[in-house]
Amino acid sequence: MRTIWVERPLGDVFIIDQTQLPRELVQAKIATVDEMAHAIRSMQVRGAPLIGVAAAYGMALAARTAPSDASLLAAEALLRATRPTAVNLAWALSESSRAWRDQPMEQRAARLYQLAADLADADVSACRTIAEHGAPLLLAHKREGRALNILTHCNAGWLATVDWGTALAPIFELHARGVQLHVWVDETRPRNQGLLTAWELTQAGIPCTLIVDNAGGLLMRRGLVDACIVGSDRTVRNGDVCNKVGTYLKALAARDCGLPFYVALPWSTVDLSIESGDDIPIEERAGSEVSELPFVTVANPAFDVTPARLVTRLITERGSFSPEELSSL
Ligand code: MRU
């Protein structure tokens, strides 16, 4: 199944409510732009590529109810404010804006539904191609006589996209080709996206082990990791990669241990308008996600930036690049 879909022309939008996973696979119906904004903010839908497509469907829902300029501009502002870091969301809203502006009012909803469906299909196709580009890169690190051991952080699987995933796509591909694999899955405090990754891998029959976020360094030093691969929420001109908080520390450990650190991302995650990772807005989420003890002061930055120099290769649907090559593209 896909993570987001409609069942009839101009119909309600259906999502998998990721806040219920991995205990229960529950669908939720989204009927208005307000409900879509809530779904994105509360992380019922999450992951950079998926929130981009969800935002595009949010615009379609807004146009279904009220297609005026004022209504659509308000819908865009509402959706844009939901989550600041993943550029896919802003990108999808810009695409939507271009799509409705030159349309007569009575055609705007149909146009925006079509655009959202096109963005969803394009994401599936990009992730499918990332699987093909990434599989041989990972396979090159397999040691004779044992499973290929891969470490990943957060959830960059099919739940974070429309289908397939980014970082997990090459892993699914290698598994389909019969390669013996094992994945170390970072728990990913505080939202525990690692449970989503472990659920996806288990569903697919891929052996995996859930670890606390700080265990990766030890495992790398012990020679139990062959390669790391993560997704991205925004990758900028100088090749710096923004991803779920904790990614940077994994990249540092990988470099210290001489291990490759790959980042898989669709082109919709690339932001060439920003020069350096230092200028990426980092989402600060509620402290209650970390602790509800009344006497504790909490900071909860949701993402961090891994400098380009720690990234071995960026894997995209257009091929794989060294991070330094991005600026020349
Ligand atoms: O806060 P989230 O769960 O939306 O963060 C998701 C991530 O950081 C993923 O690693 C990233 O979006 C890449 S997903 C294909």
Side-chain angles (χ1 to χ4, degrees):
M1 70 190 297
R2 286 187 173 191
T3 52
I4 191 162
W5 67 95
V6 290
E7 294 183 344
R8 58 182 176 79
L10 307 195
D12 295 334
V13 179
F14 292 86
I15 58 166
I16 296 173
D17 180 352
Q18 300 193 28
T19 60
Q20 303 300 311
L21 281 171
R23 280 170 203 83
E24 261 193 295
L25 181 58
V26 180
Q27 298 176 10
K29 187 172 76 170
I30 308 288
T32 65
V33 64
D34 290 312
E35 287 176 14
M36 186 61 89
H38 171 76
I40 295 172
R41 208 180 298 113
S42 66
M43 294 171 67
Q44 287 179 305
V45 283
R46 46 148 297 282
L50 177 56
I51 62 176
V53 173
Y57 272 117
M59 290 301 296
L61 289 169
R64 181 175 76 159
T65 313
S68 68
D69 285 22
S71 148
L72 293 181
L73 289 172
E76 186 182 327
L78 173 73
L79 291 163
R80 202 175 279 276
T82 51
R83 299 199 71 193
T85 301
V87 75
N88 310 61
L89 188 141
W91 167 80
L93 289 172
S94 302
E95 295 290 309
S96 299
S97 176
R98 258 197 296 282
W100 67 259
R101 275 172 197 276
D102 60 351
Q103 298 287 322
M105 262 209 268
E106 63 282 5
Q107 285 171 23
R108 286 178 176 176
R111 178 74 195 91
L112 285 167
Y113 269 92
Q114 187 57 53
L115 176 79
D118 291 347
L119 294 184
D121 288 345
D123 186 61
V124 176
S125 152
C127 290
R128 181 74 194 85
T129 311
I130 287 170
E132 281 157 19
H133 290 312
L137 290 175
L138 289 179
L139 188 57
H141 304 287
K142 185 174 180 320
R143 298 200 220 164
E144 204 47 47
R146 75 171 209 187
L148 173 62
N149 279 280
I150 297 165
L151 184 141
T152 192
H153 188 69
C154 197
N155 170 262
W158 65 270
L159 287 168
T161 62
V162 178
D163 201 356
W164 276 94
T166 57
L168 294 196
I171 294 173
F172 290 133
E173 176 67 16
L174 287 173
H175 178 66
R177 293 183 194 176
V179 175
Q180 208 197 341
L181 292 159
H182 168 261
V183 184
W184 297 106
V185 179
D186 281 358
E187 189 180 33
T188 316
R189 279 275 292 152
R191 296 287 301 218
N192 290 309
Q193 287 93 333
L195 289 177
L196 303 176
T197 298
W199 181 78
E200 284 193 34
L201 293 169
T202 305
Q203 294 281 317
I206 300 173
C208 63
T209 305
L210 188 70
I211 52 174
V212 296
D213 292 337
N214 291 327
L218 174 77
L219 299 174
M220 290 186 214
R221 280 185 61 82
R222 284 186 171 167
L224 298 173
V225 177
D226 298 312
C228 302
I229 186 165
V230 298
S232 174
D233 291 84
R234 194 184 299 228
T235 293
V236 297
R237 185 172 278 276
N238 71 350
D240 287 355
V241 169
C242 185
N243 191 49
K244 180 54 56 193
V245 68
T247 301
Y248 174 42
L249 290 176
K250 292 299 133 65
L252 281 171
R255 174 56 55 92
D256 189 49
C257 295
L259 292 169
F261 195 88
Y262 293 108
V263 180
L265 66 157
W267 205 258
S268 53
T269 302
V270 174
D271 182 0
L272 295 178
S273 75
I274 289 185
E275 179 56 40
S276 147
D278 296 338
D279 299 324
I280 299 173
I282 302 290
E283 178 179 11
E284 187 70 38
R285 291 190 64 86
S288 56
E289 289 185 343
V290 178
S291 173
E292 290 191 322
L293 290 173
F295 59 87
V296 178
T297 302
V298 175
N300 186 15
F303 299 91
D304 64 21
V305 174
T306 299
R309 66 190 150 78
L310 298 178
V311 175
T312 308
R313 270 187 111 62
L314 301 170
I315 307 167
T316 79
E317 69 273 34
R318 301 186 187 182
S320 76
F321 312 98
S322 73
E324 296 74 24
E325 278 175 284
L326 256 195
S327 57
S328 63
L329 293 171

